[in-house]
Amino acid sequence: MTSACVTGLLWGDEGKGKIIDLLSEESSYVVRYGGGHNAGHTLVHEGERMVLHLVPCGIRRPGVVNVVGNGVVVDPFHLAEELAGLEKRGFDVRLGENFLVSELCHLVLPLHRTLDEVAENLRGDAKIGTTGRGIGPTYSDRAARLGLRMGDLTRPRRLADGLERLLVQKNPILEAFGESRVDASELSEQLSRLGEQFRPAITDTGRVLREAAARDERILMEGAQGVLLDVDHGTYPYVTSSNASTCGIAAGTGMVPAAIDHVYGVVKAYTTRVGAGPFPTELEGEEAERLRTAGNEFGSTTGRPRRCGWFDAVAVSYAAQLSGAQSIVMTNLDVLSGFDPLPVCIAYQLGDGSRSDYFPVLDLDQVTPIYEEHPGFAEDITGVRAFDDLPSEARHYVRAIEDRIGIGVGLISVGPARDQVMRR
Ligand code: GDP
């Protein structure tokens, strides 16, 4: 196998960061293909916890080239901060060597953040619950052919023309909403300075990756968010603004779809969601609180409490099918210790009373989950490193889920640290 992808099969926060960090050991390249610094991937190693937002999760592995593909939207101010933070912690980030960023990445500017807030406020009661980081407005400008790109930062003429093209449209909108106009010369100066800083890293990453693939180098694609947040195939409009599923890989990297040999679909042993939108197996009240506390379910980017619920085999089957997952990685199995029974949603009852084994993406807000219950386990399993050493109820739970979704669980995670994992 040469190239693989790690993708989340839920609404994000599945624990992809840890798994990418783990699998990057066998990779030459780790590549982000979508999203922006709204993503937050948590890595824990030797007691140290760090959250990466734009920098790919292979950064702790010597010899791995970390690539921000063209499908990612980059806030250059944030990137400078994230790189400085890594340097301060002693990470060896060498621009142009183990860190590359596509010259085609669209830029998230401060005005996009302002417009994100304006748009969210206008939604009133129908808020999407965005991270407010300007990601949506940046993708909108990309589609509207207004965007500035990473390569423009080092090309003064393109930068000036691009800013003019953008501001002629945005300044009247900002003013109409009582926000300050953006001064082109000030912004241009700041961006040029950042361009000089990033210059060694800015390159044609599509070419780099295609050439690496031709040499049979191992490339690991790092999914951000999750399949159910995909702008096309997720629970629209409560989604992110990019193709977070594996559908986004070719467009977001410049590689052909066939370049990916294996897709790892990451799921938690239960379900969480941040922000608004339908969530059939969501728990309320005390039970939700218990699961949230046990799993420390607070967003790594926003700190918001995550909504929590039982495992949804219907949703996961849909996401696995859509993303072509060949094996499942189950994280947070340790969190379920002490919950008994363990319900798994195996079908939905639709609004008209009929039963559906399939995920009705448009009518998800009208379904009622149908559960199958499994016996729980009480043991602390955070120290277990072999499947056969898990309590029989935990093994049974994993096998029941495998049977239901028809894909093997190849990796099980029982804690945040890199070594709290077992292969099967
Ligand atoms: P990502 O966005 O998919 O990378 O996920 P996040 O990093 O936002 O959230 C996952 C959270 O769960 C982080 O705090 C991880 O450190 C933690 N985590 C990952 N795997 C496990 C696990 O198996 N058990 C527990 N208890 N926590 C885990």
Side-chain angles (χ1 to χ4, degrees):
M1 188 216 312
T2 52
S3 295
C5 174
V6 174
T7 190
L9 297 185
L10 297 165
W11 286 285
D13 308 314
E14 297 91 348
K16 299 176 292 297
K18 166 182 166 164
I19 302 305
I20 294 157
D21 174 45
L22 188 74
L23 296 176
S24 64
E25 190 179 11
E26 297 149 19
S27 308
S28 304
Y29 293 81
V30 176
V31 187
R32 272 283 299 274
Y33 60 86
H37 64 305
N38 52 344
H41 296 162
T42 314
L43 313 186
V44 181
H45 188 49
E46 288 167 1
E48 202 194 357
R49 179 179 186 272
M50 61 187 289
V51 181
L52 295 167
H53 296 282
L54 272 176
V55 174
C57 295
I59 201 69
R60 293 200 301 196
R61 299 276 187 195
V64 170
V65 181
N66 294 273
V67 179
V68 178
N70 62 278
V72 177
V73 291
V74 175
D75 178 332
F77 298 92
H78 172 88
L79 180 59
E81 261 173 45
E82 192 169 329
L83 291 172
L86 288 172
E87 199 179 317
K88 211 160 135 198
R89 295 177 76 160
F91 279 87
D92 180 29
V93 187
R94 282 162 287 125
L95 306 195
E97 293 179 37
N98 69 348
F99 180 72
L100 306 179
V101 52
S102 168
E103 60 193 8
L104 304 182
C105 286
H106 278 252
L107 296 179
V108 183
L109 299 175
L111 66 89
H112 291 118
R113 212 173 325 133
T114 309
L115 292 171
D116 212 354
E117 271 166 38
V118 167
E120 189 72 341
N121 288 335
L122 285 174
R123 288 189 187 106
D125 289 341
K127 290 197 189 341
I128 290 176
T130 81
T131 53
R133 300 208 158 185
I135 309 300
T138 305
Y139 278 114
S140 301
D141 279 353
R142 178 179 79 162
R145 289 150 301 177
L146 284 174
L148 282 165
R149 296 188 286 181
M150 207 69 196
D152 297 340
L153 293 180
T154 55
R155 291 170 175 79
R157 189 72 261 149
R158 287 187 65 97
L159 182 61
D161 290 350
L163 268 178
E164 193 186 334
R165 188 178 63 220
L166 182 69
L167 294 181
V168 94
Q169 300 231 10
K170 299 298 171 186
N171 271 335
I173 298 175
L174 289 165
E175 263 186 329
F177 285 104
E179 303 289 342
S180 316
R181 290 174 69 87
V182 176
D183 178 61
S185 62
E186 193 185 327
L187 182 56
S188 163
E189 220 170 275
Q190 292 170 330
L191 291 175
S192 299
R193 263 201 304 275
L194 289 166
E196 280 318 305
Q197 181 185 340
F198 301 145
R199 187 187 281 275
I202 302 173
T203 190
D204 179 352
T205 55
R207 177 177 175 184
V208 169
L209 294 172
R210 287 188 296 274
E211 290 178 356
R215 291 192 302 271
D216 268 349
E217 301 237 32
R218 285 172 182 252
I219 300 172
L220 185 64
M221 297 293 171
E222 168 175 333
Q225 290 90 40
V227 170
L228 302 181
L229 289 174
D230 185 281
V231 65
D232 286 303
H233 302 283
T235 49
Y236 191 93
Y238 302 102
V239 291
T240 195
S241 303
S242 61
N243 284 116
S245 71
T246 50
C247 306
I249 295 178
T253 62
M255 295 180 73
V256 293
I260 302 301
D261 305 301
H262 193 90
V263 176
Y264 296 91
V266 188
V267 295
K268 274 181 185 156
Y270 48 95
T271 310
T272 61
R273 175 164 201 170
V274 175
F279 178 176
T281 61
E282 181 170 17
L283 291 167
E284 306 282 349
E286 219 171 278
E287 222 171 5
E289 205 48 54
R290 226 183 115 205
L291 196 48
R292 186 173 302 120
T293 307
N296 188 25
E297 295 295 353
F298 298 89
S300 43
T301 298
T302 58
R304 285 182 287 183
R306 295 177 181 143
R307 300 158 64 192
C308 296
W310 299 124
F311 192 90
D312 186 341
V314 185
V316 169
S317 296
Y318 167 75
Q321 190 184 55
L322 186 73
S323 57
Q326 286 130 311
S327 65
I328 299 290
V329 178
M330 183 185 283
T331 64
N332 291 43
L333 185 60
D334 53 300
V335 172
L336 290 183
S337 165
F339 289 87
D340 190 16
L342 296 173
V344 169
C345 169
I346 54 163
Y348 298 141
Q349 187 180 330
L350 302 181
D352 63 3
S354 63
R355 176 186 164 119
S356 175
D357 297 320
Y358 199 73
F359 190 75
V361 71
L362 272 182
D363 297 314
L364 198 62
D365 54 343
Q366 287 160 43
V367 308
T368 310
I370 298 170
Y371 288 111
E372 183 178 83
E373 290 190 344
H374 301 279
F377 54 95
E379 294 87 338
D380 174 353
I381 59 167
T382 54
V384 177
R385 297 290 177 271
F387 185 71
D388 289 343
D389 295 339
L390 284 172
S392 61
E393 296 85 357
R395 279 182 276 141
H396 166 85
Y397 182 71
V398 173
R399 287 196 183 111
I401 285 174
E402 277 181 334
D403 288 347
R404 196 46 73 178
I405 57 186
I407 304 172
V409 176
L411 211 57
I412 298 169
S413 170
V414 289
R418 193 191 260 174
D419 65 338
Q420 288 179 301
V421 75
M422 62 199 84
R423 295 180 193 256
R424 283 179 73 209

